[in-house]
Amino acid sequence: MQYLVSVIDDKNNPGSTDRQPAISEFNERLIADGYWVFAGGLADTTTATVIDNRGEQAVFSDGPFVESKEYLAGVWVWEAPDLDVALALAAEASKICDRKIEVRPFQ
Amino acid sequence: MSGAAEAVTRAHREEWARVVAALTGRFGSLDVAEEATAEAFATAVERWPADGVPPNPGAWLTATANHKAIDRIRRESKREDKHKEAQVVYDDPPEPPGAIDDDRLRLIFTCAHPALAMESRAALTLRMVGGLTVPEIARAFLATESAVGRRITRAKDKIKAARIPYRVPTADDLPARVSGVLAVLFLVFNEGYLATGPDTDPVRHDLTAEAIRLTRLIRDLLPDDGEVAGLLALMLLTEARRTARVSAGGELVSLAEQDRGAWDAALIAEGHRLVRERLAAAAAGVAPGRYQILAAINAVHTSARDTRDTDWSQVLALYDQLVRIDPSPITALNRAVAVAELDGPEVALAAVDRLEHTLAGYHAYHATRADLLRRMGRSEQSRAAYDEAIDLAGNTAETAYLTRRRDQLR
């Protein structure tokens, strides 16, 4: 079962910025234990562009798809046998990233 | 009730959770398990009066439910596609039996999983483990049937889609997971002890007994968890008073008026033993949690020969301890009852009145006020408070008690 693991930051109350070494170490472990599928940190939401091409022509808008103080800062995709395993890893990830984590299964 | 109808009722109480749990284990789907179990019971209602009650009702129900489930899976795989059948069954090998080989315990840990909202956990546990119908659960939570139905469906969908495992957690995860299960079991016990709804028995022994049975199982699994022992003691000391709590006329009998000789001495002895065990742990420096303190309060009540003999200062000291870890308005309301015994109804009423903004919709708030006002001789105000309490109370025995109290006012 694959899970999308989202790292959620908060503009009003941002997490610490010195987490990269710990996250790299955690990633090594995810790879070694066979959970790691993919991961990536995202650039700031100000770099996002939303495209809507459902009408006559594509409309581009500057910024993220939803304006909120909370935003997506990065993602993992994990392969885990069940939600308990994913939640235990996510609890560790939240400490390591100093941010909230959302775990959501792929369909 | 005919013999067959009685047998169906008894089987529903004793076998429902076992059948649901066995089918969930086999088919890996709470949906399939629940519907097939319900169908098996419906078949029993039809067949047992004509064919006679089978010698082993549990085995008959499990076998019938199994057939219903297979029929349903076949129907669906024909209607949709052949892969459906494979999807319904988890592709993991079955779990090896855990420390306690009880399907129902696996079912409980699944229904009370922390990834589900608290109210969903309770509703799902009552449906899947307790066998309550959606209307019964709706009454228990003062919610609409459609809201409860949606809550249960969503929870089952999440269990399936997010793959919440069907198993007893590992020893590492167990302590953290237990507190959620205890909260659900306490909710089930309370619904049994003060059952709501006009057509319901005032005390549903099936629910209280089930909550106790499952708490015992968890205690076997976690003998060193103080809160498990505390909750079990609390339930036992409460259950011990069950038969004395409702009069022959179906009216609630208050603690002060109960025939203490009718209390179940064995349950009280067992409850006291657990409380003493926890007191020893507290003396050794382990801070007691909410259930242990509530159990200790009940131990004080059940140690007294009568209300006058009750050590109210001990009760108040325990409530003070409880307020520190659970500063809820309900705790404050119960604490005020002890204050009334020690400092008089005026002091207690002042404390109770401060809770109006949070508890105005809670029947016990008005019932407590009514009693305090009655003791102060303020009959007119007492009557009005009883009226409010009667409007809000959902338990038939309690309504009868409150009505008599109100009508006795001069």
Side-chain angles (χ1 to χ4, degrees):
Chain A
M1 180 106 219
Q2 291 196 335
Y3 296 90
L4 176 68
V5 179
S6 306
V7 181
I8 302 152
D9 207 349
D10 185 330
K11 291 213 154 60
N12 297 350
N13 183 22
S16 7
T17 52
D18 58 351
R19 295 301 154 130
Q20 204 45 59
I23 293 170
S24 297
E25 211 175 288
F26 182 58
N27 279 337
E28 297 293 328
R29 200 145 56 76
L30 290 173
I31 293 166
D33 294 342
Y35 299 124
W36 202 87
V37 177
F38 172 84
L42 296 172
D44 192 85
T45 52
T46 54
T47 63
T49 312
V50 172
I51 299 99
D52 186 352
N53 195 17
R54 294 169 301 175
E56 291 196 351
Q57 58 181 21
V59 177
F60 298 88
S61 40
D62 181 23
F65 74 99
V66 57
E67 284 294 343
S68 73
K69 64 187 187 68
E70 290 185 320
Y71 67 97
L72 190 63
V75 294
W76 270 286
V77 177
W78 291 341
E79 176 70 48
D82 59 48
L83 187 67
D84 279 358
V85 175
L87 292 180
L89 292 171
E92 270 190 75
S94 171
K95 270 238 161 58
I96 287 165
C97 298
D98 190 30
R99 281 159 182 87
K100 289 201 285 190
I101 302 282
E102 180 191 276
V103 176
R104 194 164 161 192
F106 280 90
Q107 229 171 18
Chain B
M1 210 189 287
S2 76
E6 218 168 277
V8 172
T9 306
R10 190 167 55 244
H12 191 266
R13 191 165 57 232
E14 291 170 1
E15 307 290 348
W16 170 277
R18 205 190 305 270
V19 179
V20 171
L23 264 76
T24 307
R26 172 150 186 219
F27 298 100
S29 161
L30 291 176
D31 255 333
V32 169
E34 183 204 349
E35 285 196 15
T37 305
E39 281 179 48
F41 275 95
T43 309
V45 170
E46 278 171 30
R47 297 262 297 274
W48 291 7
D51 302 356
V53 177
N56 185 341
W60 187 96
L61 286 160
T62 307
T64 306
N66 261 315
H67 289 139
K68 302 277 181 197
I70 291 164
D71 284 350
R72 185 183 141 163
I73 291 164
R74 287 212 180 110
R75 269 200 313 276
E76 289 190 355
S77 58
K78 270 193 200 123
R79 201 177 58 224
E80 291 171 29
D81 57 318
K82 292 289 177 195
H83 299 298
K84 185 85 184 178
E85 186 162 5
Q87 258 182 24
V88 172
V89 182
Y90 278 51
D91 36 21
D92 290 338
E95 290 287 318
I100 282 195
D101 187 14
D102 189 325
D103 271 344
R104 282 163 297 189
L105 205 55
R106 293 205 285 169
L107 189 60
I108 282 209
F109 274 104
T110 305
C111 293
H113 196 278
L116 303 172
M118 190 62 206
E119 51 196 14
S120 305
R121 288 184 226 171
L124 196 62
T125 303
L126 287 174
R127 176 72 195 125
M128 305 301 292
V129 184
L132 268 70
T133 62
V134 168
E136 284 171 324
I137 299 166
R139 270 207 303 275
F141 295 134
L142 307 173
T144 63
E145 288 177 29
S146 62
V148 169
R150 270 199 308 277
R151 205 177 282 163
I152 291 174
T153 305
R154 246 190 85 193
K156 286 194 295 196
D157 287 350
K158 180 166 180 182
I159 287 169
K160 196 172 173 187
R163 201 184 287 210
I164 287 177
Y166 181 62
R167 66 167 172 239
V168 176
T170 60
D172 290 347
D173 297 334
L174 209 43
R177 290 279 304 279
V178 164
S179 67
V181 170
L182 295 185
V184 167
L185 292 177
F186 193 37
L187 210 62
V188 172
F189 181 86
N190 281 330
E191 174 48 24
Y193 201 66
L194 203 66
T196 44
D199 310 319
T200 312
D201 282 342
V203 179
R204 296 200 41 193
H205 180 53
D206 52 340
L207 288 184
T208 58
E210 184 69 2
I212 288 173
R213 200 187 64 79
L214 293 166
T215 309
R216 277 190 199 284
L217 276 176
I218 294 173
R219 171 153 169 86
D220 285 345
L221 195 62
L222 287 175
D224 299 329
D225 188 307
E227 281 295 86
V228 176
L231 181 61
L232 181 57
L234 173 59
M235 287 179 178
L236 293 173
L237 294 174
T238 312
E239 177 80 354
R241 310 198 297 262
R242 180 171 59 87
T243 47
R245 197 163 149 276
V246 179
S247 72
E251 189 181 292
L252 195 78
V253 184
S254 70
L255 183 61
E257 293 171 323
Q258 282 172 23
D259 170 12
R260 296 187 178 216
W263 289 354
D264 186 322
L267 292 183
I268 288 178
E270 190 186 354
H272 283 185
R273 213 161 41 239
L274 287 165
V275 170
R276 276 197 302 275
E277 183 189 307
R278 295 317 308 162
L279 285 175
V286 184
R290 176 164 172 260
Y291 299 124
Q292 292 170 72
I293 298 172
L294 287 170
I297 291 168
N298 275 274
V300 176
H301 284 305
T302 46
S303 301
R305 280 190 308 275
D306 57 47
T307 318
R308 285 184 307 281
D309 183 43
T310 304
D311 185 350
W312 287 104
S313 55
Q314 181 71 31
V315 172
L316 188 60
L318 287 164
Y319 271 118
D320 286 339
Q321 207 180 341
L322 185 59
V323 166
R324 283 198 290 277
I325 60 167
D326 175 22
S328 71
I330 301 210
T331 307
L333 180 69
N334 292 329
R335 183 184 175 277
V337 174
V339 169
E341 297 299 328
L342 288 167
D343 301 328
E346 293 84 357
V347 181
L349 185 65
V352 170
D353 280 344
R354 281 198 293 275
L355 305 169
E356 191 194 349
H357 58 288
T358 46
L359 294 184
Y362 181 46
H363 73 274
Y365 163 78
H366 298 285
T368 306
R369 280 193 82 239
D371 186 55
L372 294 171
L373 289 161
R374 178 187 60 78
R375 284 154 73 175
M376 292 158 69
R378 287 157 64 176
S379 303
E380 211 43 47
Q381 287 166 291
S382 175
R383 192 187 314 276
Y386 274 121
D387 284 339
E388 297 244 32
I390 291 162
D391 275 352
L392 292 164
N395 180 275
T396 49
E398 195 169 22
T399 308
Y401 165 76
L402 292 167
T403 307
R404 175 174 65 83
R405 277 286 165 135
R406 180 194 61 193
D407 296 345
Q408 279 173 342
L409 285 169
R410 275 185 298 267

